[in-house]
Every structure is written in C-alpha cells, then in structure tokens.
C-alpha cells in the first residue's frame, strides 16, 4: 500500500518546487514584494524568524530588514545583504543567518528622475508620492547620490527574555552622516497595511564606500537620481513559530507604536 502510493507522494513532497523554480534560469518576477513576518510581530518582540538570508535572497536582490535577536539593521543592494551593527558599521553576512522581518524585491525602476535641488524628507517623500500616484499600492524606491545629512539608527542584539521593541529603540545607537554619498533604498507601504508592514516610508542607507549606514530616521538629499517602481504583488510568509503564535498582533495604539519604533 505504501509503495503503490509512493511515486505520486514523492513527486509532491520531494519535488521541492520552490528550490526547483529558484534554481532554474527563469527570470525572476520584477517588483514583487516578498516579506517575512509582520511589523506588528517585531514590535511584540518576535525577534527570531525561520528564513535564512540564502532563502530571502532567492526572492529579491534589493530590500531591508533586521536579523534574528534584532542583531542589527539589514540592507540588500545588488543581491548582497549587509548588516549594520553598533556605530552603523556595515558587514557582509553569511547566508545561514536568519531574519525575523525583511522585505525584498527584484527592483526594476519604472521611473527615473534627477534631483538637482536639496529636498528634505517631507519634500522627497512628496516627490515619490507624486511619481507613484496610487496611494493604495506599495512602492519601492532607490536614491543614489549626495545627501546633506542622513540620521541613522541601528538596533542591537537582544537577549532572552526579549524586551518589547519600544524599549529597545530607546537605547538604540544613532549615527549622523553629513555630506555623504550613498544609496538610500526602501519601500512605501499603504496606510491600510499598518502593522503588516510600516505604513508610509521605511528606508535604509548605505554609504558609497559600503562601510556605514542603517535605518534612516531623518535626512536631506542634495542631488542625485531617484528611481521608483509600484508594487501590486505581495508575498507574505508568516512564521509557524511559538513566538509568533503567542504574539499580540492587534495591540491598542499600534499606529503610534510603529511610528515611535520606526520613525524619528
Ligand atoms: Zn528599518
């Protein structure tokens, strides 16, 4: 009985369709957002995920996130994941490292504009909003150029029992980069997705020399190139961990808490 059903069973369970697809020469789907876990889970101290960097990078070559135990900020540029730890120093990471929250895509810009006058954060975001148009879709953006100022922060490795993120961010190391050349990448999430992701803008920065950066809280761009793409295709992988099962993902004041944790 076991044998008679084995062939079919094996095809289903051993076919490993995900691996098969990712290893094939098929061109990846552009501008599809692949996300692990949710922002609300991170806020509730679900700091350990199941997704390795190797797996994550099969779904995108551009993005951001954090690492298990909240051990630094992540930026993914040109298919390379980097980790910013204390002092915002960047290092390449092994593919075996895991992430509790990350967003990646194969970014293919749909619009490219030159910026040749200084824009503060609000002006820059308004420009992206104008380019993207539809406020109810996600967008990915990349700015490459000179910034008058970039304020970044880096979360640092936490020990069990994990404290809530709002406590962690109060002690976060910050770094201000002045007159710095680099790349700022990230996503704009529609307001109705608050908690699933970070509603509004979430961007990370990497200096041109690829040595420093982090999660961006404030900035002013001087000149450079802005590229944007609209995202309507979203793939969210929810953890099957005990931590996630026990998390409170609809807390009171979710919006305020995320703004405090991810904002300035
Ligand atoms: Zn961030």
């Amino acid at each position: 009985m076991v044998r008679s059903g084995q062939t079919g069973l094996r095809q289903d369970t051993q076919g490993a369709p995900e691996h098969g697809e990712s290893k094939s020469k098929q061109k990846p789907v552009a501008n599809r957002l692949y996300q692990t876990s949710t922002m609300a889970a991170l806020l509730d101290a679900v700091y350990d995920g199941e997704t390795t960097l190797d797996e994550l990078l099969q779904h995108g070559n551009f993005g951001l996130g954090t690492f298990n135990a909240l051990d630094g900020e992540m930026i993914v540029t040109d298919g390379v994941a980097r980790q910013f730890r204390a002092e915002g120093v960047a290092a390449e990471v092994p593919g075996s490292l895991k992430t509790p929250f990350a967003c990646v895509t194969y970014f293919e810009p749909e619009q490219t504009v030159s910026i040749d006058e200084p824009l503060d954060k609000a002006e820059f975001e308004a420009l992206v909003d104008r380019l993207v148009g539809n406020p109810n879709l996600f967008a990915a953006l990349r700015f490459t150029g000179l910034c008058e100022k970039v304020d970044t922060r880096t979360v640092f490795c936490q020990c069990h029992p994990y404290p809530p993120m709002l406590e962690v961010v109060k002690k976060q190391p910050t770094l201000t980069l002045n007159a710095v050349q680099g790349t700022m990448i990230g996503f704009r999430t529609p307001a109705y997705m608050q908690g699933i992701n970070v509603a509004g803008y979430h961007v990370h920065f990497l200096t041109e020399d690829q040595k420093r950066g982090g999660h961006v809280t404030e900035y002013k761009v001087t000149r450079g190139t802005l590229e944007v793409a609209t995202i309507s295709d979203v793939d969210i992988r929810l953890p099957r961990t005990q931590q996630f099962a026990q998390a409170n993902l609809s807390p009171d004041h979710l919006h305020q808490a995320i703004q405090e944790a991810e904002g300035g």
Side-chain angles (χ1 to χ4, degrees):
M1 193 175 104
V2 173
R3 282 190 183 176
S4 68
Q6 205 169 47
T7 313
L9 189 66
R10 284 195 168 212
Q11 279 175 348
D12 287 337
T13 57
Q14 284 199 333
E18 288 223 0
H19 280 269
E21 279 169 23
S22 60
K23 284 178 183 167
S24 74
K25 299 288 179 201
Q26 279 180 3
K27 195 170 178 284
V29 179
N31 301 326
R32 169 196 281 166
L33 178 66
Y34 177 88
Q35 177 183 328
T36 62
S37 191
T38 71
M39 187 58 216
L42 202 63
L43 206 65
D44 202 38
V46 183
Y47 300 152
D48 290 322
E50 301 166 300
T51 309
T52 64
L53 267 287
D54 277 342
E55 286 173 299
L56 185 72
L57 295 178
Q58 287 175 14
H59 299 279
N61 58 3
F62 166 109
L64 50 76
T66 184
F67 299 91
N68 274 16
L70 217 59
D71 189 13
E73 306 282 347
M74 179 201 301
I75 192 167
V76 179
T77 53
D78 300 320
V80 178
R82 289 186 171 79
Q83 181 180 29
F84 302 107
R85 299 175 89 179
E87 311 279 305
V89 175
E92 282 191 41
V93 288
S96 57
L97 223 56
K98 291 182 178 174
T99 173
F101 179 79
C103 303
V104 295
T105 189
Y106 285 102
F107 181 56
E108 269 187 23
E110 294 166 343
Q111 297 182 70
T112 301
V113 296
S114 282
I115 294 177
D116 41 27
E117 56 173 359
L119 299 178
D120 65 21
K121 186 178 172 211
E123 291 165 335
F124 181 89
E125 291 179 356
L127 172 60
V128 177
D129 285 343
R130 273 203 305 281
L131 291 169
V132 173
N134 189 337
N136 291 328
L137 292 177
F138 283 82
L141 69 99
R142 176 167 59 201
F143 170 81
T144 313
L146 181 66
C147 296
E148 187 180 310
K149 182 189 79 156
V150 183
D151 290 335
T152 67
R153 74 108 201 267
T154 304
V155 286
F156 55 94
C157 197
Q158 301 298 309
C159 301
H160 285 286
Y162 286 153
M165 195 165 175
L166 284 182
E167 280 180 33
V168 174
V169 295
K170 282 181 198 155
K171 302 171 197 159
Q172 64 199 4
T174 58
L175 169 73
T176 296
L177 300 156
N178 291 301
V180 62
Q181 197 85 27
T183 302
M184 190 167 69
I185 68 162
F187 299 95
R188 190 200 66 178
T189 295
Y192 64 87
M193 283 281 187
Q194 182 69 300
I196 295 186
N197 204 309
V198 179
Y201 286 87
H202 184 191
V203 295
H204 287 190
F205 185 82
L206 177 66
T207 56
E208 190 181 33
D209 63 12
Q210 302 182 333
K211 286 185 176 160
R212 305 194 99 179
H215 170 98
V216 177
T217 53
E218 186 58 66
Y219 58 89
K220 189 168 189 179
V221 305
T222 307
R223 61 177 174 273
T225 304
L226 168 65
E227 299 160 290
V228 298
T230 305
I231 293 176
S232 54
D233 191 356
V234 180
D235 183 354
I236 301 174
R237 301 300 168 98
L238 300 174
R240 290 172 180 265
T241 60
Q242 196 64 19
Q243 259 191 333
F244 187 77
Q246 292 170 345
N248 176 8
L249 303 181
S250 317
D252 295 336
H253 314 300
L254 177 71
H255 180 70
Q256 192 189 339
I258 290 178
Q259 284 194 320
E260 230 174 282
E262 296 299 307

